[in-house]
Amino acid sequence: MDQTRYQVGVAQLKKIDGVGGEKVIESLKTIAPDLGNYIIEFAFGDIYPREGLSLQERELITITSLLTTGGCEPQLDVHINGALNVGILPEKIIEAFIQCIPYTGFPKVLNAVAVAKEVFAARDAHNQ
Amino acid sequence: MDQTRYQVGVAQLKKIDGVGGEKVIESLKTIAPDLGNYIIEFAFGDIYPREGLSLQERELITITSLLTTGGCEPQLDVHINGALNVGILPEKIIEAFIQCIPYTGFPKVLNAVAVAKEVFAARDAHNQ
Amino acid sequence: MDQTRYQVGVAQLKKIDGVGGEKVIESLKTIAPDLGNYIIEFAFGDIYPREGLSLQERELITITSLLTTGGCEPQLDVHINGALNVGILPEKIIEAFIQCIPYTGFPKVLNAVAVAKEVFAARDAHNQ
Amino acid sequence: MDQTRYQVGVAQLKKIDGVGGEKVIESLKTIAPDLGNYIIEFAFGDIYPREGLSLQERELITITSLLTTGGCEPQLDVHINGALNVGILPEKIIEAFIQCIPYTGFPKVLNAVAVAKEVFAARDAHNQ
Amino acid sequence: MDQTRYQVGVAQLKKIDGVGGEKVIESLKTIAPDLGNYIIEFAFGDIYPREGLSLQERELITITSLLTTGGCEPQLDVHINGALNVGILPEKIIEAFIQCIPYTGFPKVLNAVAVAKEVFAARDAHNQ
Amino acid sequence: MDQTRYQVGVAQLKKIDGVGGEKVIESLKTIAPDLGNYIIEFAFGDIYPREGLSLQERELITITSLLTTGGCEPQLDVHINGALNVGILPEKIIEAFIQCIPYTGFPKVLNAVAVAKEVFAARDAHNQ
C-alpha cells in the first residue's frame, strides 16, 4: 500500500465527506477492504487533490455525475453532505440538480432532490 | 408560443452554444420544430437564466451530465463549445472529465475526452 | 410564472396522476418549489396537452421510458396510477412491460412489475 | 429449434421490420446465428404475437424503450421503419419522442429524432 | 407452452438460483405468470444450458451485467446466491466486482458489494 | 508518478490490450496525459494484476461490463482484442454476449456482436 497516497486520501476524505465517508470505508473492512483502499488512494488520494478545479467544483461535478447515473442514492447522500462540508450552500445544490433537468429528465432530479431533502433535514436536526 | 421565454432563450442559446446550438435548432425545423422551441424556451429560456449558478457552473454541470449519460457525443460537442464560449479553459474541461473517473469509470471519460480533442482542434484550426 | 401554462398543467396533473402527482408537487414546496412548477408548466402544461397522441398513449410511453431508465420506482408508482386513471386496464400495463423484455432484459421488467403489483393491490384495498 | 415459434417469428419479423429486420438476421449468420434465432423465436415468435397490445402499440413501446436506453441508433432505425410499416404516421413517431422529453431529457430525444429524420428521408427518396 | 424448454428451464433455475429463483417465479403467478414462464423457458431453458461457457462463467457474467446496469439489487441478490450455489467462492465474487471499478466507477461497485455483504451474512446465519 | 505501479501497469496493458491499448494511451498524450497514466497505474497497475481472477476471467468481466454500459464501442474493440490476446476463443466471446441477453435485452448484445465481427475480421485479414 502506498502510504503517501493513502494518507493524502484519508485527509481529503475526512475534509470532504466527513463521518459519512468514513462509515463507507468502515463498512467495507470485513467484506472488501481493498475497495475501501482504492476509494481512499485513487478517488481521494489521486483525483480530489489535483489542481485545476476547486473542491467546490469537484463536489458539484460529483453530485451531477451521481444524479445522472441513477440508482446511486447512498452515494448521493454522502456527497451532498460532502458538498455542504466544503461550503456549497443548500440552495446551490438544489440549483445544480435543476440545471440537470434538460439533460436527464425530471425523474432522476426528483430522486436526487429527495435525498437532499433528507440530508438537509438530518443536518438541521443535528445542529439544533 | 411565449415570446418572452423564447426571446430570452434565443439570446442565451447564442451566448452559450453559438453556431453549434443554432445548427441543432435549424436541423429540427423540418422534422420537429416544437422540439427546437422547447429547447429554446425551457432549457435556455427557463433553466439557464436562473440565478444561483454562474453560466460557467451551469456548463460544467451540463458536460458532466452528458458524459455520465453516455451516447451523447453530439450534445457534448455542442456543450464543450459552450463551455469554452462562456470562458472555461480547455484544461479545466479536461479536469472536470477526470473528476468523473471514480463515478463513471474510464470508458465514458475516454469518449468525452475524444470529443473534446476534436472540438479543441477544430477551434484551433479556425483561429489560425 | 406563466399562469396559463401553469393552470393547464395543474388540470392535466390532476386528471392523470391524481393524488399521487399532487403529493410529489407538495413534497417539493419546502425544498425545490421551482422544480414542482417546471413539472407542472413544462411536463404537464406543455407536453401532455399536445395533440398527436391520446392520453392513454402518452402514459404507455411514459411508463415504458421509466421502466427502461431504471431506478425510477417512485415515478413508476405515480405513472402506473396515472395509466389506470386514464383508463388503461391493469392487464395492458403488464403487457406493455412484457413487450419491453427483448429491449431491456428481464431485471428492469421484474422491477416494474413489482411496482405494478403494489399499485394494483393498494387500489383494490382502497376500493373495497 | 422450435419450428412453430420460428415460423411465427419470421412472419412477424417480415410484417413489422421488413427488409431491415431480415438484414440484421442475415448479418448474424456467420458470427452468431443463434442470436438471430433467439430474436426470431423469442422477440418476434413469443412476444410480438401476444394479445393485449396492437402491433402499433408494441412498436410505440419499442421505440420508446430504445430511445430511453440510448446508444441503440441502429435498432431505432430498424424499429422506426417497423413503426411506419405497421401504419404509424411519421408525425406520431415524432410526437412519441417529444413525450419522452420530461423523462429522458433532450439529448436522447435529439438522437432519436436524428435517426427518424434519416429514415423518413430514405423512404421518401425510395418512394419517388 | 413448450414443455421441454420449460422443464429444462425449471431444472436449471433450481440448480442455479435455488429458493430465491423459485420465489421470483412464485411472486409473478398472480400478476404476470407469462413473465415467469419466459424467464424459465428463455433465460433458463434456452440460454443457461448452452455449451461454450461453464455455469460458473455464466454467473460471473450475469452478476457483472446486473452490477453495471444498476438499480438491479433484487436480481443481484438472487444471482449472488446463484453464483455461490454453482461453487464460486465469496472472495471471487468480490474480486469480480472490484474488476468492474475501472469500467463502472465506484458507486455501482459499492452498491453490489453491499448486496453481497447481506447475502453472505444471511447464508452464514443459516448455516450455523 | 509511482514508477512501480506504472511499470506493472504498462506490462499488463501490453500483455492484455497490445497495440490497441497503447494507441489509446498515445492518443491521450497531447490532450489528457494524466488520464492515460491513471489507466495504466490504476486499471492495469492496481486492478488487473490482483489475484483471485485469471486474466481470462477479468477480460470476460470487462467485456460484459462494457456491453452492459452501452455506447462503449471503442473500448469494446480494445477489450475484445484483449480477450483474444489472453487466449479466449472467438466463440466464447460470442457466447458471453449471448449470456447477457436476458439481462440487457437484444439491442446492446447486437451492438457488441457487431464490434466483435469487425475485430475478428480485422485479425483474420492481418493473419493471412
Side-chain angles (χ1 to χ4, degrees):
Chain A
M1 205 157 68
D2 180 331
Q3 277 306 322
T4 316
R5 293 169 71 227
Y6 189 82
Q7 283 163 2
V8 171
V10 164
Q12 287 281 320
L13 181 71
K14 276 196 190 168
K15 182 159 63 177
I16 299 166
D17 289 342
V19 179
E22 289 178 335
K23 270 190 198 160
V24 172
I25 303 302
E26 186 62 33
S27 76
L28 295 171
K29 286 240 164 101
T30 56
I31 180 92
D34 289 350
L35 174 55
N37 291 341
Y38 291 134
I39 291 174
I40 289 172
E41 291 174 2
F42 181 64
F44 289 95
D46 284 347
I47 305 296
Y48 271 87
R50 289 173 58 90
E51 296 184 358
L53 290 171
S54 69
L55 268 186
Q56 292 199 1
E57 287 171 325
R58 289 190 190 278
E59 282 301 314
L60 269 187
I61 290 165
T62 300
I63 59 176
T64 301
S65 186
L66 291 170
L67 175 158
T68 309
T69 301
C72 296
E73 282 73 17
Q75 292 78 34
L76 262 179
D77 184 306
V78 170
H79 281 282
I80 290 170
N81 273 296
L84 295 166
N85 291 343
V86 298
I88 305 181
L89 293 175
E91 303 78 48
K92 190 160 180 172
I93 291 170
I94 297 299
E95 193 59 37
F97 292 165
I98 287 176
Q99 173 65 23
C100 290
I101 303 172
Y103 305 101
T104 66
F106 287 103
K108 289 181 172 182
V109 176
L110 284 166
N111 288 340
V113 167
V115 179
K117 194 176 178 179
E118 284 182 25
V119 170
F120 297 167
R123 289 170 76 110
D124 280 352
H126 188 262
N127 289 338
Q128 283 178 338
Chain B
M1 204 157 67
D2 180 333
Q3 278 306 322
T4 315
R5 294 169 70 228
Y6 189 82
Q7 284 163 3
V8 170
V10 164
Q12 287 280 321
L13 181 72
K14 274 196 191 167
K15 183 159 63 176
I16 299 166
D17 289 343
V19 180
E22 289 177 334
K23 270 190 197 161
V24 172
I25 304 301
E26 186 62 34
S27 76
L28 295 172
K29 287 240 163 100
T30 57
I31 181 90
D34 289 351
L35 174 56
N37 291 341
Y38 291 133
I39 292 174
I40 289 173
E41 291 174 1
F42 180 65
F44 290 95
D46 284 347
I47 305 294
Y48 272 88
R50 290 172 57 89
E51 295 183 0
L53 290 171
S54 69
L55 269 187
Q56 291 199 3
E57 287 172 324
R58 289 190 189 278
E59 281 301 315
L60 268 188
I61 289 166
T62 300
I63 60 176
T64 300
S65 185
L66 291 170
L67 175 157
T68 307
T69 301
C72 296
E73 283 74 16
Q75 292 78 34
L76 261 178
D77 185 305
V78 170
H79 281 283
I80 291 170
N81 272 295
L84 295 167
N85 292 343
V86 298
I88 305 181
L89 293 177
E91 302 79 47
K92 191 160 179 173
I93 291 171
I94 298 299
E95 193 59 36
F97 292 167
I98 287 175
Q99 173 66 24
C100 291
I101 303 172
Y103 306 101
T104 67
F106 288 104
K108 290 180 172 182
V109 176
L110 284 165
N111 287 341
V113 167
V115 178
K117 195 176 178 180
E118 285 182 23
V119 170
F120 297 166
R123 289 170 77 111
D124 280 351
H126 189 261
N127 289 339
Q128 284 179 336
Chain C
M1 204 158 67
D2 181 331
Q3 278 307 321
T4 316
R5 293 169 70 229
Y6 190 83
Q7 284 162 3
V8 170
V10 164
Q12 287 281 321
L13 181 72
K14 275 196 191 169
K15 182 160 64 175
I16 299 165
D17 289 342
V19 179
E22 289 178 334
K23 271 191 197 160
V24 172
I25 303 302
E26 186 62 33
S27 76
L28 295 171
K29 285 238 164 105
T30 57
I31 180 90
D34 289 351
L35 174 56
N37 291 341
Y38 291 133
I39 292 174
I40 290 173
E41 290 173 2
F42 181 65
F44 290 94
D46 284 348
I47 304 296
Y48 271 87
R50 291 173 56 90
E51 296 184 359
L53 289 171
S54 68
L55 269 186
Q56 292 199 0
E57 286 171 325
R58 291 191 190 276
E59 282 301 314
L60 267 188
I61 289 166
T62 299
I63 60 175
T64 300
S65 188
L66 291 170
L67 175 158
T68 308
T69 300
C72 296
E73 282 74 15
Q75 292 79 34
L76 263 178
D77 184 306
V78 170
H79 282 283
I80 290 169
N81 272 295
L84 296 166
N85 292 342
V86 298
I88 305 181
L89 293 176
E91 303 78 48
K92 191 162 180 171
I93 292 170
I94 297 298
E95 193 59 37
F97 292 167
I98 286 175
Q99 173 65 22
C100 291
I101 303 172
Y103 305 102
T104 66
F106 289 102
K108 290 181 171 181
V109 176
L110 284 166
N111 288 340
V113 167
V115 178
K117 195 176 177 180
E118 285 181 24
V119 170
F120 298 167
R123 290 169 76 110
D124 280 352
H126 188 262
N127 289 338
Q128 283 178 338
Chain D
M1 204 157 67
D2 181 332
Q3 278 307 320
T4 316
R5 292 168 71 229
Y6 189 83
Q7 284 164 3
V8 170
V10 164
Q12 287 280 320
L13 181 72
K14 276 196 190 171
K15 183 161 63 176
I16 299 167
D17 289 343
V19 180
E22 288 177 333
K23 271 190 197 161
V24 171
I25 303 301
E26 186 63 33
S27 76
L28 295 172
K29 287 239 165 101
T30 57
I31 181 89
D34 289 351
L35 173 56
N37 291 340
Y38 292 133
I39 292 174
I40 290 172
E41 291 173 2
F42 180 65
F44 290 95
D46 284 347
I47 305 294
Y48 272 87
R50 291 172 56 89
E51 296 183 359
L53 289 170
S54 69
L55 268 187
Q56 292 199 2
E57 287 172 324
R58 291 190 187 277
E59 282 301 316
L60 267 188
I61 290 166
T62 299
I63 60 177
T64 300
S65 186
L66 291 170
L67 175 158
T68 307
T69 300
C72 295
E73 283 74 16
Q75 291 78 36
L76 261 178
D77 185 305
V78 170
H79 282 282
I80 291 169
N81 273 295
L84 296 166
N85 292 342
V86 298
I88 304 181
L89 292 176
E91 302 79 49
K92 191 160 178 172
I93 292 170
I94 298 299
E95 193 59 37
F97 293 167
I98 286 175
Q99 173 66 23
C100 291
I101 303 172
Y103 305 101
T104 66
F106 289 104
K108 289 180 171 181
V109 176
L110 283 166
N111 287 341
V113 167
V115 178
K117 195 177 178 181
E118 285 182 24
V119 170
F120 297 167
R123 289 170 77 111
D124 280 352
H126 189 261
N127 289 340
Q128 285 179 337
Chain E
M1 205 158 66
D2 181 331
Q3 277 307 321
T4 316
R5 292 169 71 229
Y6 189 82
Q7 283 162 2
V8 170
V10 164
Q12 287 281 321
L13 181 71
K14 275 196 193 172
K15 182 160 63 175
I16 299 167
D17 289 343
V19 179
E22 289 177 335
K23 271 190 197 160
V24 172
I25 303 302
E26 186 62 33
S27 76
L28 296 171
K29 286 237 165 105
T30 57
I31 180 91
D34 289 351
L35 174 55
N37 290 341
Y38 290 134
I39 292 174
I40 289 173
E41 290 173 3
F42 180 64
F44 289 94
D46 284 348
I47 304 295
Y48 271 87
R50 289 173 57 89
E51 296 183 1
L53 289 172
S54 69
L55 268 187
Q56 292 199 1
E57 287 171 324
R58 290 191 189 277
E59 282 301 315
L60 268 188
I61 289 166
T62 299
I63 59 175
T64 300
S65 187
L66 291 170
L67 175 158
T68 308
T69 299
C72 296
E73 283 74 16
Q75 291 79 33
L76 262 178
D77 184 307
V78 170
H79 281 282
I80 291 170
N81 272 297
L84 295 167
N85 292 343
V86 298
I88 304 181
L89 293 176
E91 302 79 48
K92 192 161 181 172
I93 291 170
I94 298 299
E95 193 59 37
F97 292 167
I98 287 176
Q99 173 66 22
C100 290
I101 303 172
Y103 306 102
T104 66
F106 288 103
K108 289 181 172 181
V109 176
L110 284 166
N111 287 341
V113 167
V115 179
K117 195 176 177 179
E118 285 182 24
V119 170
F120 297 167
R123 289 169 78 110
D124 279 352
H126 189 261
N127 289 338
Q128 283 177 336
Chain F
M1 205 157 68
D2 181 331
Q3 278 307 322
T4 316
R5 294 169 70 228
Y6 190 82
Q7 284 163 4
V8 170
V10 164
Q12 286 281 320
L13 181 72
K14 275 196 191 169
K15 182 159 65 177
I16 299 166
D17 289 343
V19 179
E22 288 178 334
K23 271 190 196 162
V24 172
I25 303 301
E26 186 61 33
S27 77
L28 295 172
K29 286 240 163 102
T30 57
I31 181 89
D34 289 351
L35 173 56
N37 291 341
Y38 291 133
I39 293 174
I40 290 172
E41 290 174 2
F42 180 65
F44 290 95
D46 284 347
I47 306 295
Y48 271 88
R50 290 171 57 90
E51 296 184 0
L53 290 171
S54 69
L55 270 186
Q56 292 199 1
E57 287 172 325
R58 290 190 189 278
E59 281 302 315
L60 267 188
I61 289 165
T62 300
I63 60 177
T64 300
S65 185
L66 291 169
L67 176 158
T68 308
T69 300
C72 296
E73 282 74 16
Q75 292 77 35
L76 261 179
D77 184 305
V78 170
H79 281 282
I80 291 170
N81 272 296
L84 296 166
N85 292 343
V86 299
I88 304 181
L89 293 176
E91 302 79 48
K92 191 160 179 173
I93 292 170
I94 297 299
E95 193 60 36
F97 293 167
I98 287 176
Q99 173 66 22
C100 291
I101 303 172
Y103 305 102
T104 67
F106 288 104
K108 290 181 172 182
V109 176
L110 283 165
N111 287 341
V113 166
V115 178
K117 194 176 178 181
E118 285 182 24
V119 170
F120 297 167
R123 289 170 77 111
D124 280 352
H126 188 261
N127 289 340
Q128 283 179 339

